[in-house]
Amino acid sequence: MTKSDEFSQLDTPLETSASPALKFEVFARCSTTKARASKMHLPHYTAHTPMFMPVGTMGSIKGITTKQLEALDCHVILGNTYHLGSRPGPELLERAGGLHKFMAWNRGLLTDSGGFQMVSLLKLANITEEGVEFENPHDGKKMMLTPEMSIGLQNAIGADIMMQLDDVVSSLTVGPRVEEAMQRSIRWLDRSIKAHKRPTEQNLFPIVQGGLDERLRTISAQELVKRGSPGYAIGGLSGGEAKGSFWRMVTLSTDILPTNKPRYCMGVGYAEDLVVCSALGVDMYDCVFPTRTARFGNALVRTGSLSLRQGRYKADFTPIDKDCDCSTCKNFTRAYLHTSVTKETTGCHLVTVHNIAFQMRLMRDIRYAIVRDQFPAFIRDFIKTRFGKTVPLWIVESLKSVNVDLTVPDGSGYTATPIEDDFQKEPNW
């Protein structure tokens, strides 16, 4: 696999920030959009951003070893605090020397707070100022997750980056509950900072909240900046809201958050979202989508995805992507994968390898384009390949806000016609 070396000709960063456990160096900025390419020095690894982080809920990605993740050029992976806190549990992880040693992973780790799972996956009992009270799915007993408990679990896990426990509400929620959750999340951040026992070894990121309300998002981001954290997350999105609202909340947040610190947009993983949000100034992403969709036989390509279960691939002896250098594309055909993706774990494993490789290559291409100050041209080429002549309106509007107007012909004569739909499955020619 190709390794990231896009900064090899750059010696002096344009802007830096340094915290006890994180140094962030911006080496290149797009002269048109808000995109930047940076190095993020973590205790266990130096990650290149913009970057995508695959999700390993239980400290592993289904069917993939840590050595394979290294070969795929993954810099940081994400673990789930709730699941890791339940199994193997904090005591065992501490005895093992932390999750890095336990899972034999010597690169970056980020853990979420566990709060999202309390709300989305479990039977929610109550949210109070103390924390989130929920019903344990194993024995039905009531349990409480507080900001202090979340930080304690994450300190035991030992991730390079930890997330604060926030009061999570659906992105579709409106009314006073949104402001209540935003203000409570700020108070819980302060409790999390006090509870953090390893500030020289682990970084605590706060989370911008406020739903789809510009005023609340602004207040949240401004309050978080006052805490001087090593980096910041943009949360409460990718929950079914209209894409027009999504991108506006992202760009509002990046306009307020410091330019010399990393910005993490949580739960984002579609290729077009990664390109657009990078143009809006985001540095980090995570999502279960690439690995989860692989288990259903869907392989990611620049035109969207291939459903390898379909009969059209039964006698297709080409690789998933002729331009991909992953081990799956080098050694296996679409025809072989068609016979195995829904019947054998091998097929799911092979498509997972490809999908992670696809995400890593996309992010690497984004970084190269920023470093060479060719990102607007990269965007137009990507959009043309992915969508063809019709493009979702939210993409056209979001890119126009950072001076990339897809409705104006480029050198090849390509222009995009906006459509109201938020999603377009295949290119339209």
Side-chain angles (χ1 to χ4, degrees), residues 18-327:
S19 302
L22 188 153
K23 182 179 181 182
F24 190 68
E25 298 178 306
V26 179
F27 276 91
R29 287 196 189 93
C30 175
S31 60
T32 302
T33 71
K34 295 195 286 182
R36 68 265 192 86
S38 311
K39 288 184 180 181
M40 182 169 61
H41 303 272
L42 298 168
H44 291 89
Y45 199 70
T46 295
H48 294 184
T49 70
M51 70 169 175
F52 178 80
M53 302 176 288
V55 177
T57 300
M58 299 289 290
S60 64
I61 295 172
K62 288 181 175 65
I64 304 292
T65 68
T66 52
K67 288 299 181 184
Q68 286 177 304
L69 288 171
E70 289 182 15
L72 289 167
D73 200 29
C74 292
H75 295 184
V76 180
I77 61 174
L78 187 141
N80 181 280
T81 295
Y82 165 73
H83 291 290
L84 291 167
S86 300
R87 190 182 64 177
E91 295 82 7
L92 186 60
L93 285 171
E94 286 184 320
R95 287 173 56 191
L99 184 59
H100 282 92
K101 291 183 178 180
F102 189 70
M103 64 182 292
W105 173 250
N106 59 7
R107 296 189 177 187
L109 271 174
L110 182 149
T111 46
D112 63 10
S113 67
F116 179 76
Q117 282 67 36
M118 300 301 99
V119 176
S120 65
L121 302 180
L122 306 177
K123 185 178 179 181
L124 179 63
N126 195 24
I127 297 177
T128 68
E129 192 62 27
E130 184 182 358
V132 182
E133 186 184 40
F134 62 97
E135 188 174 289
N136 190 311
H138 303 294
D139 57 18
K141 293 181 179 179
K142 293 291 180 66
M143 298 181 64
M144 175 69 73
L145 180 70
T146 67
E148 293 80 7
M149 290 173 60
S150 175
I151 293 299
L153 287 171
Q154 293 184 81
N155 279 156
I157 293 168
D160 299 80
I161 298 172
M162 312 184 301
M163 305 308 301
Q164 73 155 113
L165 181 67
D166 53 344
D167 185 353
V168 180
V169 296
S170 166
S171 59
L172 304 179
T173 301
V174 296
R177 176 71 181 99
V178 180
E179 182 162 10
E180 176 191 49
M182 182 273 289
Q183 294 288 1
R184 179 175 287 137
S185 294
I186 295 171
R187 295 192 295 272
W188 282 3
L189 169 61
D190 291 334
R191 288 168 58 185
S192 298
I193 292 171
K194 290 180 181 178
H196 185 12
K197 303 300 183 185
R198 302 175 62 185
T200 62
E201 303 165 275
Q202 295 177 273
N203 300 282
L204 174 59
F205 279 23
I207 303 172
V208 177
Q209 289 289 1
L212 305 180
D213 188 305
E214 292 187 5
R215 181 183 68 87
L216 297 181
R217 282 267 166 189
T218 298
I219 293 171
S220 176
Q222 290 174 341
E223 284 297 319
L224 301 193
V225 171
K226 293 177 183 178
R227 273 68 178 175
S229 301
Y232 301 87
I234 302 167
L237 300 173
S238 299
E241 72 278 1
K243 285 291 197 175
S245 299
F246 163 79
W247 78 261
R248 286 178 172 86
M249 295 302 102
V250 171
T251 200
L252 180 151
S253 301
T254 59
D255 279 345
I256 297 170
L257 296 174
T259 59
N260 65 339
K261 294 185 177 182
R263 305 154 174 166
Y264 163 33
C265 195
M266 306 175 76
V268 170
Y270 294 140
E272 53 266 34
D273 292 5
L274 299 174
V275 172
V276 168
C277 289
S278 293
L280 299 179
V282 176
D283 306 296
M284 305 163 59
Y285 312 91
D286 82 281
C287 190
V288 298
F289 166 70
T291 48
R292 179 174 290 171
T293 199
R295 297 195 289 275
F296 291 92
N298 299 314
L300 303 180
V301 292
R302 288 288 172 98
T303 54
S305 69
L306 307 178
S307 179
L308 295 169
R309 296 169 296 174
Q310 295 180 357
R312 72 174 80 175
Y313 301 112
K314 183 178 180 178
D316 187 339
F317 296 104
T318 62
I320 294 172
D321 183 348
K322 63 181 178 60
D323 296 321
C324 179
D325 65 352
C326 78
S327 57

Side-chain angles (χ1 to χ4, degrees), residues 363-410:
M363 302 314 296
R364 195 162 50 242
D365 289 347
I366 289 172
R367 294 193 297 268
Y368 271 115
I370 296 169
V371 167
R372 295 166 179 166
D373 203 14
Q374 298 172 350
F375 190 47
F378 172 87
I379 293 172
R380 297 185 73 99
D381 183 68
F382 171 87
I383 295 296
K384 178 181 178 180
T385 301
R386 172 63 185 86
F387 294 105
K389 62 184 179 181
T390 60
V391 177
L393 176 63
W394 76 270
I395 294 178
V396 174
E397 291 181 338
S398 62
L399 292 174
K400 188 174 182 179
S401 77
V402 286
N403 309 307
V404 178
D405 191 344
L406 299 175
T407 65
V408 175
D410 60 13

